Amino acid sequence: MDTIEATLTHHGVRPTAVRILIYKALMQFHDTFSMNDVEIATDTIDKSTIFRTLTLFADHHLLHEIEDGSGSKKYCLCHNDHECSVEELHCHFYCETCKKTFCLDRSHIPPVSTPKGFMARHAEYIIKGTCPACSAKNHA
Ligand SMILES: [Zn+2]
Ligand SMILES: [Zn+2]
Ligand SMILES: [Zn+2]
C-alpha cells in the first residue's frame, strides 16, 4: 500500500506533518478543488501555508492546475507516478450552472499536432456545459 509519505517522497517533496495533512485532505476530493475548498477542508491551517503547499505540490506534479475561466485556479490530484505527458492529461468539464469543474479521467486530451519547432509541454481542454445533477434539476 502506498503511504502519503512515500508518494510525496517519490515526487521529491519532503513529507512534513503539515504537507501530509494537506495531501490527506486533497484525497477526499473526487474532482477539482480550489484553494478555498482546501481551506474549508483543513480548517486550522493558515491560508499562506495552504497556498505555498499547493504551489509546491503542483511544481512537483502531485497536482494538475486547471484554468477553467471561473477566475479561481482549480487543482486536481495527479494519479500518475511521473510527470504527465500532454497525451496523458485528461479533459475537464466546467458546469456553467453550479460552477464545478469535473475531472474526465477517462477522456484524454485529443492529440493536436503542432507545427515544426513548437514543443508542447502542457495542454488544457475544458468542456463547458451542464453537469448531470444540474441537468436533472432543470428537467424536474
Ligand atoms: Zn499528471
Ligand atoms: Zn452543475
Ligand atoms: Zn482533473
Side-chain angles (χ1 to χ4, degrees):
M1 201 191 96
D2 254 10
T3 60
I4 295 174
E5 279 100 323
T7 306
L8 296 188
T9 307
H10 182 85
H11 283 80
V13 173
R14 200 162 50 87
T16 62
V18 70
R19 288 172 186 167
I20 292 169
L21 208 68
I22 291 177
Y23 194 85
K24 204 178 262 174
L26 303 184
M27 288 169 76
Q28 302 160 17
F29 298 111
H30 287 284
D31 291 289
T32 69
F33 46 87
S34 65
M35 163 95 191
N36 198 36
D37 296 329
V38 181
E39 253 182 273
I40 295 163
T42 51
D43 199 30
T44 55
I45 304 171
D46 70 281
K47 238 182 151 113
S48 62
T49 304
I50 295 171
F51 180 74
R52 271 186 284 118
T53 306
L54 292 183
T55 306
L56 179 80
F57 284 177
D59 285 348
H60 289 263
H61 206 83
L62 284 157
L63 297 179
H64 293 162
E65 289 179 313
I66 307 111
E67 302 281 357
D68 59 12
S70 67
S72 68
K73 190 181 266 179
K74 303 283 170 63
Y75 304 88
C76 67
L77 278 185
C78 177
H79 297 291
N80 251 335
D81 63 355
H82 57 270
E83 184 156 350
C84 292
S85 60
V86 171
E87 299 78 49
E88 287 174 309
L89 295 169
H90 57 264
C91 300
H92 289 97
F93 191 101
Y94 177 69
C95 175
E96 294 168 317
T97 306
C98 64
K99 319 285 184 211
K100 271 201 252 180
T101 300
F102 300 84
C103 292
L104 307 182
D105 291 313
R106 298 208 188 112
S107 308
H108 290 277
I109 293 183
V112 176
S113 60
T114 48
K116 201 167 171 267
F118 290 86
M119 304 268 287
R121 180 192 58 79
H122 183 70
E124 285 188 38
Y125 196 106
I126 313 272
I127 302 163
K128 296 189 180 183
T130 315
C131 76
C134 291
S135 304
K137 258 181 249 161
N138 285 344
H139 294 285

